[in-house]
Amino acid sequence: MTTPADPLFDWNTLARRRDRAMRKGFRGRGDFLYRQIAEGLRERLEDVTRSFAKVALIGGAQPLIDMLRATTHPQVIDIWDVSPAMAKACNGTALTSETLPLTPGHYDLAISCLAMHWANDPVGHLVQLRRALKPDGLMIAALFGGQTLTELRSALAEAEVALTGGLSPRIAPMGEIRDLGSLLQRATLAMPVADSERLTVTYASPRALMHDLRLMGETNVLSARGGPMTRALLARSEEIYRAHFPAEKGRIRATFEIVYLTGWSPGPGQPVPLRPGSATTRLADALGTVEQDPRPGHEPGDT
């Protein structure tokens, strides 16, 4: 895969932030989104009448491992994570770069969990997963979509413009589902599907939300991120957040959009789309109706 000369994301900082999350309370608290995603993945895997003996998992977290063992009963789960601490906790291997050390054509199932939205080359991330699969192997990526933290993004932007007249990159840009779905085709994955779910979580305050983001290891790792947040900026953004995005009992709400990208490595026997104009059955015949010409005075078949 290729990495831009000026990468959007700093993976060394990401590794440090996730190591810190492991020390501060990721397991059992900060991993609640991983537990949610584990359930979403379980539902999708249960719809597949296929066994997965060898699984590659990018983004190690115990809820995912427990789900895979209970749902697919794999012989092997190979685990990698950008955080050495997270990888060690799951008996996995730490990633030293965005080049994934996956054996080509080795796995029946490859899963990327909350890793791809930090990828400087998201198409390359998917291509690497596809190459690691056996023919007709399954790939699923779960990542944050564009509506994630839209409330916090709005409050910080409004506060910073009001106080400084400018705007700093404080929350990473995240892809919309339509754009993310198109990446599956660019990575030449067969039978691509993109879908999403939105979770609304309430917090006592914006600071409590930011604290949870640190426990998740999901704070800002943009290479060109803004400077430290001042007390004035924090206070003003909290006022705006509470005013615009209230929840019950004096709390505030936060949105997390989880996008699931699913595709298969090319293999024999897979259905393929017909060429345009190659259909042999009329839609009217399939529906059991009479074809009508929309032009006045014309009968079906007239030219």
Side-chain angles (χ1 to χ4, degrees):
M1 63 175 291
T2 59
T3 301
D6 297 315
L8 182 63
F9 302 113
D10 182 346
W11 264 45
N12 290 327
T13 299
L14 177 61
R16 291 195 299 270
R17 298 281 173 84
R18 291 196 168 175
D19 278 354
R20 179 183 65 182
M22 285 296 293
R23 296 193 303 269
K24 298 294 186 180
F26 173 77
R27 301 184 78 170
R29 181 176 175 186
D31 62 355
F32 76 92
L33 286 176
Y34 285 82
R35 297 194 296 271
Q36 181 71 29
I37 291 170
E39 179 62 20
L41 292 173
R42 182 190 64 77
E43 293 175 356
R44 287 161 176 79
L45 290 171
E46 286 183 342
D47 289 337
V48 180
T49 56
R50 183 76 59 84
S51 61
F52 302 105
K54 296 181 180 179
V55 179
L57 174 60
I58 309 300
Q62 198 62 45
L64 298 171
I65 299 167
D66 293 342
M67 179 278 298
L68 287 168
R69 287 174 176 161
T71 304
T72 66
H73 308 288
Q75 298 172 6
V76 175
I77 304 178
D78 290 335
I79 304 163
W80 288 269
D81 197 283
V82 65
S83 159
M86 289 189 179
K88 182 179 179 181
C90 296
N91 294 318
T93 303
L95 292 169
T96 57
S97 73
E98 293 187 60
T99 300
L100 306 178
L102 303 176
T103 303
H106 185 68
Y107 297 97
D108 306 293
L109 171 64
I111 294 176
S112 171
C113 183
L114 295 187
M116 186 175 152
H117 59 272
W118 293 123
N120 287 298
D121 181 7
V123 175
H125 187 82
L126 291 174
V127 168
Q128 292 181 87
L129 295 174
R130 175 183 58 75
R131 289 175 177 170
L133 291 170
K134 298 176 182 179
D136 206 26
L138 176 62
M139 188 287 309
I140 307 178
L143 65 154
F144 288 137
Q147 297 305 305
T148 299
L149 299 177
T150 182
E151 302 91 351
L152 181 60
R153 189 191 308 272
S154 175
L156 285 172
E158 184 176 338
E160 191 163 21
V161 168
L163 291 174
T164 70
L167 194 60
S168 300
R170 297 191 178 276
I171 297 180
M174 300 175 195
E176 298 298 331
I177 186 170
R178 178 178 298 180
D179 299 325
L180 294 171
S182 69
L183 301 183
L184 292 166
Q185 294 179 319
R186 290 179 60 187
T188 65
L189 283 152
M191 296 179 286
V193 175
D195 64 297
S196 69
E197 62 175 321
R198 294 188 189 181
L199 308 175
T200 300
V201 184
T202 66
Y203 287 91
S205 68
R207 295 191 193 205
L209 166 61
M210 295 177 194
H211 178 68
D212 254 19
L213 292 174
R214 286 192 290 272
L215 292 184
M216 297 177 204
E218 292 290 346
T219 50
N220 188 5
V221 297
L222 286 165
S223 298
R225 54 191 175 273
M229 188 178 299
T230 65
R231 291 183 179 180
L233 176 58
L234 179 59
R236 181 63 180 135
S237 63
E238 284 192 298
E239 292 175 3
I240 294 170
Y241 204 129
R242 287 188 180 279
H244 292 176
F245 309 106
E248 294 181 353
K249 300 180 180 180
R251 297 170 69 84
I252 53 98
R253 65 180 188 269
T255 299
F256 293 93
E257 181 186 21
I258 309 299
V259 175
Y260 294 91
L261 303 179
T262 305
W264 297 80
S265 62
Q270 288 179 343
V272 295
L274 294 172
R275 297 188 307 274
S278 62
T280 58
T281 303
R282 297 187 311 158
L283 179 60
D285 293 339
L287 297 176
T289 62
V290 177
E291 182 180 2
Q292 300 291 332
D293 194 298
R295 297 170 295 176
H298 283 73
E299 297 295 331
D302 287 353
T303 58

